[in-house]
Amino acid sequence: MKQVTADVVVIGAGSAGLCAAYQAAHAGADVLVIDENHLPGGQLFKQIHKFFGSRVHYAGTRGYQIGQQLLERVQDSGAKVWLDTLVYGMAHDKTLGVIHQGTHYTVQAQKVIVATGAKENYMAFPGSTLPGVMGAGAAQTMVNIHRVLPGQRVVMLGSGNVGLIVSYQLMQAGADVIALVEGAPKIGGYAVHAAKIRRAGVPIYVGHTITQVLGTNHVEQVEIAAVDAQFTPVPGTEQRLEADTVCLAVGLNPMTELLWMAGCEFCYIPAFGGHVPLHNWDMETTIQGLYVAGDVTGVEEASSAMEEGNMAGIAAAQALGLLDVCDAESRKAEIAARLDVLRSGLFGVRRRTAKQQQLNAMDVSMGGASHNG
């Protein structure tokens, strides 16, 4: 088994990981970025829509273009990037077990930043294991990365931004989205995305769910029904739709396995997708020198993930003595202010409250004392 050392190891080359790697490397740290995919960029490279927000968050730029810009910055910073590489374990002392190009490595770093993102939730119902039932993210990958249409007649379950955006992209690719089904009494995503779906003539069944999928060797019909206040299907409201594909956009949950293995403390916040690691404003967990950024801290938007990555990268560099304290604190204050803006307003207030709950839990865990690395 070979051994590798670095000042900072970043696990995950999505929006958060790339931003963290750039900030640390730009400050002079020896940075190694590890990602299990054959392409860096995480979710960005399958997002063809333009982003909202401010100029600093790439407003008006398509997701894959943002990924290209972030990647170029990391490459120019001198950080090393290992792709097609699996991190299969992390010890309490932050030692990593890694398989790179078929060889086992022990990787040790003074600071580790975990930016592993989130994975799709699944929903079980009769017929949910039939070929043709898949996550919305999987369908988006097939269409936008591999240029393969997953089906001709699609039913989308879930009306959050993922469900709305992927539905529209499937239509752009040539599929017929015959229905969008949502268990809640109202659409969960942004009105601008829902409006595009409605203008295209796609019926949106709020207060409904999928009760079963029928077919012999693949999806042939999808049965939906209205639900009551407890989300229980109402007898007599069933209707069947002719379809060959079902996409599930029923939420995400953070990929926290490595953090559990390392012994980090967690709290349970449903708004963030379940159990999330405790961390302070520097994005440092209850294990000194171990930082988190992006959806692994709680599912939010890409803009928030970038800012958390910036924060973690600067904090790690500061802890290594590579940044002047006044400069680092000034830059972190600017990042914190931008994050506060992102978590304010009609759609952000839930996330802002949840994030404060996470930080408060961290403060209690540390006995009321600030936790700095």
Side-chain angles (χ1 to χ4, degrees):
M1 180 177 290
K2 296 183 179 181
Q3 293 187 338
V4 172
T5 60
D7 293 334
V8 178
V9 170
V10 179
I11 306 173
S15 53
L18 291 176
C19 286
Y22 169 76
Q23 295 293 350
H26 186 67
D30 175 25
V31 177
L32 172 62
V33 182
I34 301 175
D35 195 280
E36 66 180 351
N37 298 297
H38 71 282
L39 288 174
Q43 301 299 308
L44 290 173
F45 280 97
K46 63 182 182 181
Q47 295 178 351
I48 62 174
H49 58 281
K50 293 181 179 180
F51 274 43
F52 297 133
S54 62
R55 180 173 297 177
V56 72
H57 297 126
Y58 301 92
T61 306
R62 299 187 186 278
Y64 70 91
Q65 295 172 326
I66 297 173
Q68 290 170 343
Q69 293 177 34
L70 294 179
L71 178 58
E72 288 170 4
R73 285 202 315 168
V74 171
Q75 291 172 331
D76 292 342
S77 73
K80 296 186 292 292
V81 180
W82 283 5
L83 300 176
D84 286 317
T85 301
L86 175 67
V87 179
Y88 60 82
M90 178 163 59
H92 185 77
D93 65 355
K94 303 185 296 295
T95 299
L96 304 172
V98 175
I99 299 177
H100 174 59
Q101 295 181 345
T103 301
H104 287 260
Y105 287 81
T106 297
V107 178
Q108 292 182 313
Q110 297 183 60
K111 310 294 178 184
V112 174
I113 301 173
V114 176
T116 45
K119 57 183 178 291
E120 290 188 289
N121 290 333
Y122 190 76
M123 180 173 169
F125 44 77
S128 62
T129 59
L130 278 172
V133 180
M134 66 188 71
Q140 189 180 42
T141 300
M142 292 176 69
V143 169
N144 294 343
I145 299 295
H146 302 296
R147 303 295 191 265
V148 175
L149 198 62
Q152 296 294 329
R153 294 177 58 82
V154 181
V155 173
M156 178 68 67
L157 179 63
S159 71
N161 285 329
V162 171
L164 296 172
I165 290 171
V166 175
S167 291
Y168 190 70
Q169 291 175 358
L170 284 167
M171 288 188 287
Q172 287 179 307
D176 181 12
V177 178
I178 62 170
L180 196 148
V181 182
E182 169 60 53
K186 61 181 181 180
I187 295 170
Y190 293 152
V192 64
H193 297 315
K196 291 190 293 185
I197 301 299
R198 283 176 161 159
R199 283 198 299 269
V202 178
I204 301 178
Y205 295 89
V206 295
H208 281 68
T209 191
I210 293 177
T211 52
Q212 63 175 325
V213 170
L214 301 99
T216 304
N217 297 314
H218 58 84
V219 175
E220 297 176 15
Q221 289 185 325
V222 180
E223 183 180 273
I224 67 173
V227 295
D228 59 22
Q230 286 72 45
F231 298 99
T232 302
V234 178
T237 64
E238 299 87 358
Q239 55 180 306
R240 292 187 177 181
L241 308 173
E242 300 292 329
D244 58 22
T245 306
V246 175
C247 293
L248 306 177
V250 290
L252 306 167
N253 63 85
M255 295 182 66
T256 56
E257 292 83 356
L258 291 173
L259 298 169
W260 284 105
M261 294 173 69
C264 290
E265 293 186 34
F266 282 75
C267 61
Y268 183 74
I269 303 178
F272 275 165
H275 287 92
V276 288
L278 298 182
H279 65 81
N280 61 12
W281 272 114
D282 280 352
M283 307 309 296
E284 190 174 17
T285 68
T286 51
I287 295 178
Q288 189 171 358
L290 179 56
Y291 301 79
V292 287
D295 282 352
V296 73
T297 76
V299 179
E300 294 188 85
E301 299 286 349
S303 298
S304 298
M306 292 179 209
E307 294 294 4
E308 288 189 345
N310 288 331
M311 183 73 81
I314 290 172
Q318 180 187 6
L320 289 168
L322 298 173
L323 289 175
D324 174 79
V325 174
C326 292
D327 178 45
E329 292 300 329
S330 174
R331 292 166 66 183
K332 290 192 295 184
E334 292 175 359
I335 294 169
R338 292 196 295 268
L339 278 168
D340 192 53
V341 170
L342 289 170
R343 292 165 179 154
S344 300
L346 181 61
F347 288 97
V349 66
R350 228 173 122 220
R351 295 293 188 263
R352 188 180 187 188
T353 302
K355 181 56 65 175
Q356 193 57 55
Q357 179 184 346
Q358 194 176 23
L359 292 166
N360 290 344
M362 176 71 170
D363 191 50
V364 170
S365 174
M366 300 305 296
S370 63
H371 173 60
N372 295 307

